[in-house]
Amino acid sequence: MNRRDLLTLGGAAAFLAAAVPRIIPAAAAFDDQPGSLRARADRKGLLFGSAVNGRALGDPRLQKVLISDANILVPENELKWDAVMPAPDTYDFSRAEAIYAFAKANDMKMRGHTLTWYRSEPAWAADRIAGMSAAQTGDFLEDYVGHVVGHWKGRIAQWDVINEPTTAKGVLLEKLWSAKLGEQYMDIALHATAQADPHALRMMNQTLIAQEWWWEDKQRDETLRIVEGLLKRGAPLQGFGYEAHLRTSYAFSEGKWARFLEELKQMGLKFMITELDVDDSGTIGDVDARDRASAALVKSLLDVSLSFDHCLGVLTWAAADRYSWLMQDKDRKRSDGMALRPTPRDADFQKKPVWNAIAQALDAAPAR
């Protein structure tokens, strides 16, 4: 039986039957919901939280929002390779430790992001690895991952061991490791993580795999090919994270997404939405229309995802618009010059329809 055959087993049958995105009437209510997102998630046995960076965490308004809504945090940049190892043989965990201290003081978990990613390579690394053999490169990667994960042993609940490994065309993006090791760099990193902290969930994290665009269809298939290969080789991959950087310019098929989640479930993998936000540049209209479109898209994604019992929860990539990476990206602008509204709260930390859509989805989710 192959993975396509397995789709006839289990899963959320109602969603598997749906082949087109849900149409949300303009009058659909994403009214203000009482209570906190954390309380909702806790009642269902789910994780809910946000990415945060050390600079933003100094804002007392953000602290208040996180304490109210989050039971898990992820450092936005502070655990990436260039931050952790700014110079050869030099490790610096101080900025991540500050975030962990805040999380611990407020009874939150923390996840680690990320151990391998092509956009977090320190400037010194290319020259150093260029002179290594394949065996030496593997040893270096194993030592690095072991050192980082070992430092956090017992304190990090999940690790993004592999982040954005491939394109839709099957091109491996992490050139430093893959040039010497090919796809085996992923196996090495997963085994090193398991050895350094066997209790931290080991995950792959990927973007651009859920919406209606040929690139996302192909990237989803290519990602599944890599996941299947890792599992066949005995690599200790335990979970999969979907970043969920959504765009209102593309539709979302509930049925197609449910089939993908069923495939992950049949492979025995846990699942997490890890970086949720919405680029609303594809919606023309006033703020209310844009917010409704974003909320409808988020609600559709979460309704499907949270209906699966292997889905552990949701993280947004910033808790408020003021601290979203999309607000700093010069290539992600609206044609009308208005600011994007990507997160659950606006720049003044007020709840938006996306916050209410998340609340409704958590309320509707089955208890774990």
Side-chain angles (χ1 to χ4, degrees):
M1 180 180 292
N2 61 33
R3 64 178 170 85
R4 302 296 178 189
D5 297 329
L6 288 172
L7 295 181
T8 60
L9 303 175
F15 290 118
L16 291 173
V20 296
R22 178 188 302 175
I23 304 300
I24 304 293
F30 294 104
D31 297 330
D32 190 33
Q33 304 290 309
S36 73
L37 298 180
R38 175 173 185 160
R40 289 176 157 83
D42 286 343
R43 283 196 295 270
K44 298 302 177 74
L46 290 164
L47 296 170
F48 183 83
S50 174
V52 65
N53 63 65
R55 176 182 57 83
L57 195 55
D59 187 334
R61 297 168 299 174
L62 179 62
Q63 292 180 15
K64 182 178 180 180
V65 165
L66 294 173
I67 290 169
S68 172
D69 278 347
N71 60 19
I72 186 170
L73 297 181
V74 56
E76 185 174 5
N77 299 306
E78 289 78 359
L79 284 174
K80 293 173 180 173
W81 187 12
D82 54 355
V84 165
M85 205 174 185
D89 306 313
T90 301
Y91 289 87
D92 181 3
F93 298 107
S94 58
R95 290 182 292 167
E97 289 283 7
I99 296 173
Y100 176 78
F102 176 83
K104 183 178 180 182
N106 292 285
D107 196 25
M108 302 172 184
K109 297 181 184 296
M110 194 162 96
R111 76 188 306 267
H113 175 82
T114 172
L115 294 172
T116 63
W117 186 40
Y118 71 102
R119 295 183 66 181
S120 67
E121 298 161 349
W124 55 265
D127 288 343
R128 182 163 182 176
I129 293 174
M132 295 180 179
S133 66
Q136 289 170 328
T137 301
D139 289 344
F140 181 64
L141 173 59
E142 184 176 6
D143 289 345
Y144 168 72
V145 171
H147 187 101
V148 174
V149 176
H151 175 87
W152 293 97
K153 183 178 181 181
R155 297 192 289 163
I156 295 283
Q158 307 171 358
W159 277 104
D160 286 332
V161 182
I162 305 160
N163 196 60
E164 299 178 4
T166 186
T167 71
K169 297 182 178 181
V171 176
L172 293 178
L173 292 171
E174 177 53 84
K175 301 300 184 187
L176 286 186
W177 304 124
S178 67
K180 301 289 180 73
L181 302 169
E183 291 186 8
Q184 288 288 332
Y185 86 85
M186 304 182 216
D187 304 61
I188 292 170
L190 286 162
H191 282 291
T193 303
Q195 183 171 359
D197 187 353
H199 299 296
L201 191 71
R202 300 175 292 277
M203 302 186 72
M204 175 188 290
N205 199 40
Q206 180 63 303
T207 190
L208 297 179
I209 56 171
Q211 292 193 262
E212 293 294 280
W213 179 32
W214 70 266
W215 182 275
E216 300 207 21
D217 286 341
K218 289 184 176 297
Q219 188 146 295
R220 184 173 58 250
D221 288 344
E222 184 60 25
T223 301
L224 281 172
R225 181 194 67 77
I226 290 177
V227 169
E228 288 177 323
L230 285 166
L231 295 176
K232 286 178 181 177
R233 294 192 299 270
L237 180 68
Q238 298 174 305
F240 185 90
Y242 169 47
E243 294 180 10
H245 295 301
L246 303 175
R247 292 171 290 179
T248 59
S249 53
Y250 294 108
F252 171 71
S253 168
E254 293 174 327
K256 188 180 292 185
W257 185 239
R259 286 190 289 273
F260 173 73
L261 294 182
E262 183 64 22
E263 293 191 73
L264 295 179
K265 182 177 180 178
Q266 295 300 329
M267 292 178 190
L269 298 178
K270 299 296 185 182
F271 172 73
M272 184 94 177
I273 293 176
T274 56
E275 303 184 21
L276 176 65
D277 55 25
V278 185
D279 178 340
D280 70 354
S281 59
T283 302
I284 297 177
D286 59 18
V287 167
D288 288 344
R290 292 162 51 195
D291 283 354
R292 283 199 305 272
S294 294
L297 180 57
V298 167
K299 182 67 160 48
S300 292
L301 174 72
L302 296 189
D303 279 346
V304 180
S305 300
L306 294 175
S307 73
F308 283 83
D309 60 8
H310 68 305
C311 180
L312 303 176
V314 181
L315 281 153
T316 60
W317 209 243
D321 292 351
R322 178 181 296 271
Y323 295 115
S324 170
W325 69 282
L326 286 170
M327 307 300 278
Q328 319 302 325
D329 191 333
K330 295 180 180 179
D331 296 326
R332 305 289 283 271
K333 302 291 184 183
R334 290 182 54 86
S335 60
D336 58 14
M338 298 177 70
L340 296 171
R341 292 171 61 83
T343 73
R345 294 175 182 262
D346 66 19
D348 295 318
F349 302 94
Q350 298 303 303
K351 293 187 290 186
K352 299 187 307 188
V354 164
W355 190 101
N356 295 314
I358 294 170
Q360 292 173 6
L362 290 171
D363 286 344
R368 273 40 179 175

